């Protein structure tokens, strides 16, 4: 069974100021998401599901989805702040989405096969899709048999400022925890370091695995995630800016013993436009990838 690619795109309209400004970074105006879909198809994924906001469905279908027709089956689901489990009512003053964990939940009943979860605005690289597809296609005989791609932190840095990364702790190849480390950057010796909340500096080796929100799940994840979202709402329903992210759910399932998450190594180099200053470099990288023959002149 071919796995499905689930693309987190519900924040796209707000982050980019509308779909009209979805940035074309490739030689023919390709978006980062176009490369993700192209790489996923070539890695063996059989379907793509996008989670978006209902209010830009028309533009999304017209400007984004139409280009994938004939290449791979596509479906759309919608994230909204009032789509909550039975018994919960969204507070009237709530404006902030509930987080990416809820966004994944929107695909329950639509995705019935192993699936990957990615951000819409991150370039993950061909090899990361290949290792993830291979892992998702192997037979499983139990629930909670998940995975994630652990990027080497040296392959995710920018020269233009600090970045936040989920630094992974592992034991025999399995994830034990993800620690959110902020303002990771290069020092004058081009070593990677971050400063903790106590002001202490910590050096990170370039091959330390980090989470870039590239996960692999099976459909049983939806039941676990729904339970954990319910638990989250019982505590934080009335906290205006509260949100639940995927590592929150993963951490709970690891600690309860209900899931194991295999950390997959990749030599792919992640990149994205974290800072405005990153854009010219990203445009140049895509031009080089086309020139090298990794990508054809036009993707779709």
């Amino acid at each position: 069974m071919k796995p499905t690619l689930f693309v987190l795109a519900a924040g796209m309209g707000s982050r980019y100021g509308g779909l009209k400004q979805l940035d074309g970074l490739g030689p023919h105006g390709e978006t980062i998401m176009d490369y993700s879909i192209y790489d996923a198809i070539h890695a063996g994924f059989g379907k793509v599901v996008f989670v978006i906001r209902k209010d830009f469905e028309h533009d999304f279908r017209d400007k984004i989805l139409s280009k994938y027709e004939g290449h791979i089956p596509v479906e759309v689901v919608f994230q909204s702040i009032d789509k909550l489990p039975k018994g919960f009512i969204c507070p009237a003053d709530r404006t902030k989405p509930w987080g990416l964990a809820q966004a994944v939940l929107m695909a329950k009943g639509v995705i019935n096969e192993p699936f990957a979860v990615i951000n819409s605005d991150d370039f993950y690289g061909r090899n990361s899709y290949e290792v993830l597809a291979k892992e998702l296609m192997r037979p499983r005989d139990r629930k909670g048999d998940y995975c994630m791609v652990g990027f080497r932190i040296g392959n995710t840095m920018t020269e233009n400022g600090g970045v936040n990364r989920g630094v992974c702790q592992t034991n025999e190849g399995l994830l034990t925890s993800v620690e959110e480390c902020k303002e990771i950057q290069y020092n004058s010796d081009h070593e990677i370091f971050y400063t903790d909340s106590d002001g202490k500096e910590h050096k990170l080796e370039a091959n330390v695995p980090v989470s870039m929100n590239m996960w692999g799940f099976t459909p049983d994840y939806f039941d676990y995630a729904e339970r954990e979202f319910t638990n989250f709402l019982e505590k934080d329903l009335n906290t205006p800016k509260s949100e639940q992210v995927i590592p929150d759910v993963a951490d709970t399932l690891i600690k309860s013993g209900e899931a194991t998450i295999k950390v997959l190594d990749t030599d792919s180099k992640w990149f994205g436009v974290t800072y405005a200053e990153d854009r010219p470099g990203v445009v140049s990288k895509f031009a080089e990838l086309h020139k090298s023959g990794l990508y054809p002149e036009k993707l779709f």
Side-chain angles (χ1 to χ4, degrees):
M1 179 183 294
K2 288 187 173 184
T4 286
L5 183 70
F6 185 63
V7 183
L8 299 164
M12 188 182 298
S14 57
R15 281 204 299 270
Y16 287 93
L19 289 182
K20 287 184 295 185
Q21 296 169 30
L22 187 60
D23 213 355
L25 299 167
H28 296 280
E30 295 90 350
T31 66
I32 286 179
M33 196 161 61
D34 291 337
Y35 292 95
S36 296
I37 306 306
Y38 184 88
D39 285 342
I41 291 170
H42 284 260
F45 285 82
K47 182 174 73 174
V48 182
V49 177
F50 294 90
V51 58
I52 65 172
R53 294 201 327 263
K54 183 69 176 176
D55 60 338
F56 63 79
E57 178 186 8
H58 177 76
D59 279 350
F60 191 85
R61 290 187 183 277
D62 183 49
K63 296 181 173 68
I64 307 297
L65 298 193
S66 58
K67 71 180 78 172
Y68 307 135
E69 286 180 4
H71 296 281
I72 192 169
V74 172
E75 293 188 52
V76 173
V77 296
F78 305 101
Q79 183 181 21
S80 63
I81 61 173
D82 57 359
K83 196 168 183 179
L84 301 179
K86 190 175 181 180
F88 294 95
I89 297 175
C90 182
D93 58 349
R94 177 84 188 191
T95 57
K96 185 179 176 64
W98 296 104
L100 295 182
Q102 188 224 11
V104 176
L105 265 178
M106 300 302 98
K108 184 176 182 180
V110 173
I111 296 177
N112 300 297
E113 55 281 322
F115 65 101
V117 177
I118 66 165
N119 293 333
S120 62
D121 52 358
D122 289 341
F123 177 82
Y124 292 104
R126 178 75 54 82
N127 179 254
S128 64
Y129 289 96
E130 291 170 346
V131 298
L132 187 51
K134 182 180 178 181
E135 176 66 17
L136 289 173
M137 284 191 273
R138 71 167 173 79
R140 283 167 167 73
D141 57 7
R142 63 178 175 86
K143 292 182 178 181
D145 188 353
Y146 308 144
C147 59
M148 61 159 281
V149 177
F151 285 79
R152 303 167 195 173
I153 192 168
N155 287 339
T156 75
M157 298 292 290
T158 172
E159 301 284 351
N160 296 313
V163 296
N164 300 344
R165 296 286 181 260
V167 177
C168 300
Q169 300 296 324
T170 63
N171 182 24
E172 297 183 352
L174 297 178
L175 185 68
T176 56
S177 67
V178 180
E179 179 188 1
E180 183 71 11
C181 297
K182 299 183 177 181
E183 289 300 308
I184 303 172
Q185 53 194 297
Y186 291 115
N187 62 16
S188 57
D189 297 320
H190 215 255
E191 297 172 320
I192 301 169
F193 76 98
Y194 73 96
T195 304
D196 66 21
S197 57
D198 296 323
K200 185 179 178 182
E201 287 191 0
H202 299 269
K203 181 182 174 183
L204 293 169
E205 298 298 330
N207 63 350
V208 167
V210 295
S211 170
M212 301 304 296
N213 220 34
M214 192 177 202
W215 301 87
F217 298 118
T218 48
D220 55 86
Y221 172 81
F222 291 118
D223 290 333
Y224 289 131
E226 192 166 56
R227 181 193 71 194
E228 293 310 311
F229 186 48
T230 298
N231 291 340
F232 163 81
L233 291 173
E234 286 175 349
K235 293 183 294 183
D236 292 309
L237 178 68
N238 294 302
T239 305
K241 294 186 177 181
S242 60
E243 63 177 342
Q244 187 184 47
V245 294
I246 299 168
D248 293 340
V249 180
D251 186 59
T252 298
L253 296 179
I254 290 170
K255 288 177 177 173
S256 69
E258 293 170 293
T260 57
I261 300 178
K262 184 178 180 180
V263 179
L264 308 175
D265 180 44
T266 180
D267 59 11
S268 283
K269 290 180 169 60
W270 172 97
F271 56 82
V273 184
T274 305
Y275 298 94
E277 294 85 354
D278 292 331
R279 191 184 187 283
V282 170
V283 170
S284 177
K285 286 174 184 174
F286 280 132
E288 290 170 10
L289 290 171
H290 281 269
K291 190 175 180 180
S292 73
L294 183 66
Y295 295 108
E297 183 180 355
K298 290 192 175 183
L299 298 181
F300 300 103

